[in-house]
Amino acid sequence: MISRAGTPSGAQTPPADVAPDDSRLDDTTLVVRARDGDVRAYEQLVRRYQGPMFRLAVRMLASRGDAEDVVQEVFLTAWRSLASLHEEAAFVAWLYRMITNRCLNVIRDRHTTVDVDLAQRESRSPGSRPERTVEVSEQLAAVTEALQRLTGEQRACWLLREVHGRSYEEIAQAVGVTTTAVRGRIARARAQLTEMMAPWR
Amino acid sequence: MAVNPETQGYLLPCGRDVETVWERLADVAAGRGDEHDLTCPDCRDARASLNALRDVTGELVADTTEPAPHLTGRIMSAVRAEVRRRHDMLPLPTTEPGLVRISEHAVAAVLRFAADSVAGVRARRCRVHDLRVRAADPGGGEESGPVLVVELSVAVSYQSFAWRALDLVRERVAAAAVTRIGSELHRLDLIVEDVYGA
């Protein structure tokens, strides 16, 4: 029992007590515990939010491998800097902001790399078909491809708003622009996506 | 392409921009379209495309693609590798020559678990100190367990919390300290810091 909290394998055997399963605890409780150094509480947060964070990253980067790397980095960074998160309830917004920033950095790095290395560009340009493991419909495949032709910031704004339902204020903070600029980027993204998916002329 | 990079919206050949057509989608669908909505072929085509985008957006929202199953493990081993091995170790009672020590984190986990077992209570922050260490007696008393001073904050259920539950928390935390850690609970400060609705 005592060793449970300290063993790396992390308490797979269910204890006899009636304590609630961590998976039913609210976010704030888990965040407070995690900040206290409770690894199991943090694992619960990881399990709860790695899905949406991964889906954002994979749509941003069109690569499962890169997306998983970003998700791993962000959850590790979040663990290290939990102490600086003063508002526990803001944990999810904080994760979205870090994922967005990290993805935009990866995209910027790719652009730097393509200037240097053309071969790399071949393997990463949108035309070379991103890894296709997520598309269940043709329309979905089309929008995934179309998304990659937007700028990183447009893509982030559109995904955060339309797919992940985040507020304009939160998106503005995540991307580092004004809410007016966010609305503009979303409008532009919407127009371009519509056009690329099914040209109206 | 009807694109004017200097304007925010994308203009259709008829002069309306895509954002306007988007904002009017619901109205037109509800039969509240104006003359232009109903007769303009550009707007009609744009509406068809926007509807297609809206449908596929719904698919993205409903998407449940998960990362590879081993990702959680990868993240957590990186996290565990960073768990601070600090000087917050408490000696446990032992009759053997070797030392047995337990981290304050581990003690906190055990005590939180005991508090969680009370209905309508969720343990949050848990600070643990050994009174004897505080009393500048760090070397002594390996044969008796630590004497714990604990500060525990909890969230209580809005629906099912009753005052008596805090007494139960006190009982169970004290029992866990004795039976599980072999320590005495000298003092427990309980703080109800939040309520949660289930």
Side-chain angles (χ1 to χ4, degrees):
Chain A
M1 184 55 226
I2 288 171
S3 67
R4 189 167 90 88
T7 38
S9 64
Q12 287 310 307
T13 47
D17 298 55
V18 292
D21 186 355
D22 278 9
S23 66
R24 289 202 299 268
L25 293 175
D26 57 286
D27 282 4
T28 306
T29 296
L30 291 172
V31 170
V32 173
R33 288 185 186 190
R35 196 165 47 196
D36 240 18
D38 184 341
V39 175
R40 280 197 320 148
Y42 195 66
E43 177 161 356
Q44 201 49 240
L45 288 167
V46 171
R47 291 185 185 282
R48 197 169 287 181
Y49 292 111
Q50 63 180 359
M53 296 306 146
F54 172 73
R55 289 191 281 279
L56 173 60
V58 90
R59 300 289 174 203
M60 284 296 292
L61 303 173
S63 153
R64 289 184 61 100
D66 288 355
E68 286 180 359
D69 287 348
V70 162
V71 170
Q72 178 174 355
E73 278 172 46
V74 163
F75 274 107
L76 187 58
T77 307
W79 167 258
R80 285 175 186 154
S81 28
L82 266 175
S84 70
L85 178 70
H86 294 298
E87 186 56 60
E88 293 95 1
F91 181 69
V92 178
W94 192 53
L95 283 182
Y96 271 116
R97 186 162 73 232
M98 284 193 285
I99 293 277
T100 302
N101 275 314
R102 193 69 207 108
C103 285
L104 290 174
N105 283 339
V106 169
I107 291 164
R108 261 174 234 129
D109 289 351
R110 281 180 186 172
H111 286 303
T112 320
T113 318
V114 295
D115 292 341
V116 180
D117 184 358
L118 271 173
Q120 188 114 357
R121 180 169 180 264
E122 292 305 319
S123 67
R124 276 179 167 168
S125 69
S128 72
R129 306 227 126 203
E131 291 168 56
R132 266 309 140 73
T133 37
V134 282
E135 277 58 278
V136 293
S137 79
E138 251 176 67
Q139 287 283 49
L140 206 47
V143 82
T144 302
E145 193 128 335
L147 273 170
Q148 297 312 308
R149 289 190 224 138
L150 303 179
T151 69
E153 280 195 5
Q154 285 175 345
R155 189 151 73 241
C157 291
W158 188 84
L159 285 168
L160 285 167
R161 179 66 202 166
E162 301 288 292
V163 179
H164 295 266
R166 313 313 298 180
S167 71
Y168 289 108
E169 289 72 23
E170 193 185 316
I171 300 169
Q173 283 200 347
V175 180
V177 297
T178 65
T179 53
T180 312
V182 169
R183 287 172 194 273
R185 279 168 176 74
I186 292 172
R188 191 165 283 251
R190 181 179 295 126
Q192 288 193 30
L193 286 174
T194 309
E195 193 172 19
M196 286 187 280
M197 285 181 59
W200 55 73
R201 301 204 309 138
Chain B
M1 248 189 344
V3 175
N4 179 355
E6 298 309 311
T7 61
Q8 185 135 300
Y10 277 36
L11 287 181
L12 299 174
C14 68
R16 281 206 174 168
D17 76 359
V18 177
E19 199 61 7
T20 305
V21 179
W22 171 257
E23 282 159 7
R24 300 185 56 74
L25 267 188
D27 276 352
V28 175
R32 293 192 298 270
D34 62 20
E35 180 68 18
H36 182 108
D37 289 321
L38 300 179
T39 56
C40 171
D42 297 322
C43 285
R44 189 194 56 218
D45 291 352
R47 269 199 307 278
S49 298
L50 285 166
N51 278 321
L53 178 63
R54 197 174 54 184
D55 291 347
V56 76
T57 305
E59 286 186 56
L60 285 178
V61 172
D63 183 21
T64 55
T65 306
E66 289 288 328
H70 59 76
L71 183 65
T72 316
R74 253 171 61 190
I75 293 169
M76 292 315 296
S77 27
V79 164
R80 286 197 177 88
E82 297 219 340
V83 171
R84 301 150 311 266
R85 296 271 168 252
R86 299 171 315 195
H87 46 275
D88 62 348
M89 304 300 278
L90 305 177
L92 286 180
T94 174
T95 51
E96 301 298 318
L99 294 179
V100 180
R101 286 169 181 267
I102 183 169
S103 77
E104 286 180 6
H105 281 157
V107 173
V110 171
L111 300 184
R112 271 197 298 255
F113 191 86
D116 275 354
S117 73
V118 178
V121 173
R122 288 173 183 176
R124 284 191 174 172
R125 202 161 28 82
C126 184
R127 296 263 178 271
V128 175
H129 305 292
D130 184 356
L131 192 63
R132 295 169 314 166
V133 176
R134 285 287 152 108
D137 181 22
E142 298 294 335
E143 284 170 22
S144 63
V147 178
L148 300 180
V149 174
V150 176
E151 184 183 310
L152 178 70
S153 77
V154 297
V156 298
S157 161
Y158 181 73
Q159 289 99 331
S160 66
F161 174 74
W163 189 245
R164 153 102 184 98
L166 291 183
D167 290 338
L168 212 50
V169 168
R170 203 171 280 285
E171 266 171 44
R172 296 213 180 146
V173 169
V178 174
T179 61
R180 303 213 159 170
I181 304 165
S183 61
E184 179 197 331
L185 183 63
H186 174 75
R187 172 175 168 162
L188 171 63
D189 293 332
L190 272 177
I191 298 146
V192 180
E193 71 168 28
D194 202 359
V195 289
Y196 65 91

